[in-house]
Amino acid sequence: MKKGIKIIGKVLFQISVFLCLLLSFSLLWAKNNYGNIGFEEIVFHLNMPLEGTSEEFVQSYIKTALCPAVFLLFLELSAMYFPAKSMYSLVINGGNKKEWRWKLWPFRPPVFFWALFFAAWLGGLVYSADECFGIITYARNQIEQSNFIKEEYVDAKDVKIKFPEKKRNLICIYMESAETSSQDKANGGVFDENYIPEMTQLAKENVSFSHSKLLEGAVVAPACGWTIAALVAETAGLPLKLFEYNAASGGTDNSMGKYEAFMPGATSLGDILEKEGYHNYFLAGSKFKFGGRTSYFTQHGNYEIWDYVRAKEEGAIPQDYRVWWGFEDIKLYDFAKEKLLSLASGDKPFNFSMLTVDTHHQDGYVCERCPDKYDVQYSNVWACASAQVNEFVEWIKQQDFYENTTVVIVGDHCSMDSDYYAELSYDKHNGETVRKVYNTFINSPIQPIREKGRSFTTMDIFPTTLASLGVEIEGDRLGLGTNLFSEEQTLSEKYGYEKMFEELNKKSVFYDNEILYP
């Protein structure tokens, strides 16, 4: 009996050692790879399947977190339990088979010592995690409740939305991690040189909402700072607040792992356009299932999805082809031209959306046409991305369908590349940060009343995109967003970023019961 208890104790001890090691290296890995995210994203992705994740990211975690933890555990086990006939036994204890290992560990610490040791270790991890990702703030916000969303949310089903007699086509280009800070300081960026000159020119020549007279974009609100959350913010005017299992919903088996439907209570851009007879289409160079994106866009607007998986199924790329997250943006833009010409030949107005991927962190993907102009890889990747999107817009302008089409280019969120912006750490809870999300609206039939000097978040992109089609929105508000073409105050203008973000971080019973699982 005593021997069995002793064995169990040793096993539990080693499990504790391994978990502490793994958590420590995982924290370092997360800090190096996701230095600008909140704990909301970490918890969200812990609920997500790994399918669709970049192989480089998985390999990076195994190499820099899992392997070091296993290696140090092996060293610790060797020191404590290695057979007595080893060279350590011969050198350290003259061959004594029973006592050699305790020469390496000269005393046998009591249980309470190890308890204190592990408590201190875990305490240090929690402190470090809070410094990096706000884990304590997140925990506190799960307790505090707010009625902010309940009081400010405007459901599109409850307001009048009037489309023009001749409905315009919509092209939405969601650019991975695109932010205005990649420009030079003279244009509203943070660098001495402008790495996205073509994107700057597009913003200058068209409508681009900004916090100042320069080209500054949208602030990222809490729970809107990773790709699927950003897409939800920009198409539904809502944050993607973190999921907890709700037994009442009975949802246990969908691509999100726990829910039968993705935010079934929300009304999105896709929902509105589908009702108006639009053909909704989404193109992506990765596996679109990642993060629940397929669920969201098929359940909200019945989008036709054409992604990395479908490209292989249709023979557009070889079966064994894979770079970065799937296929690179050069191919994405070529495929986009084909799909747009096909959609334009149909008898329905179309909503064509696409998501680029080459500028994903870390450092981005260097394709065959990327310049080698700058010393930093990410700068070259951004220069390439800027040139490519500009060339694509020029191609669109030459097409017959352009006259009746609005083109919207927005970043999804600010970059998570922790090295590139090391001295300009992006704080999602500080609205005065210089890092903001890029936006430009091209060929809109209306002009804004006040384009510059606005305070706004990516959630305001939702009603603004709809308005850029010439759509009239009763009250100029949808979701938690405001039509920026109008005079209506945004919520950040009404409350200020600090107050608004503080309330959004708190738990919302209305959000849980009416939007997540009504």
Side-chain angles (χ1 to χ4, degrees), residues 42 147 171 180 201 251 326 509:
I42 295 175
N147 288 322
I171 297 175
T180 53
Q201 195 60 32
V509 175

Side-chain angles (χ1 to χ4, degrees), residues 16 18 34 51 68 82-83 95 98 100 172 216 226 251 289 342 398-399 403 451 455 484 493 501:
S16 300
F18 177 70
Y34 295 95
E51 183 179 2
F82 204 83
K98 295 182 178 180
W100 77 270
C172 286
E216 296 182 83
W226 63 99
K289 279 188 175 181
S342 176
Q398 297 170 11
Q399 308 310 309
E403 182 181 355
E451 182 179 352
S455 294
L484 295 171
E493 288 171 336
F501 290 5

Side-chain angles (χ1 to χ4, degrees), residues 374-422:
Y374 306 108
D375 294 334
V376 179
Q377 176 175 309
Y378 207 35
S379 298
N380 289 314
V381 171
W382 270 115
C384 183
S386 178
Q388 285 190 77
V389 73
N390 182 64
E391 290 174 7
F392 184 57
V393 169
E394 289 302 313
W395 177 86
I396 292 173
K397 289 180 177 180
Q398 297 170 11
Q399 308 310 309
D400 293 338
F401 61 76
Y402 176 68
E403 182 181 355
N404 192 46
T405 299
T406 297
V407 180
V408 179
I409 306 174
V410 290
D412 55 354
H413 51 74
C414 286
S415 175
M416 299 174 191
D417 198 301
S418 57
D419 295 328
Y420 193 67
Y421 298 100

Side-chain angles (χ1 to χ4, degrees), residues 271-285:
D271 291 319
I272 296 169
L273 295 181
E274 181 190 22
K275 185 179 178 181
E276 291 292 327
Y278 277 71
H279 184 167
N280 291 327
Y281 199 100
F282 210 116
L283 178 71

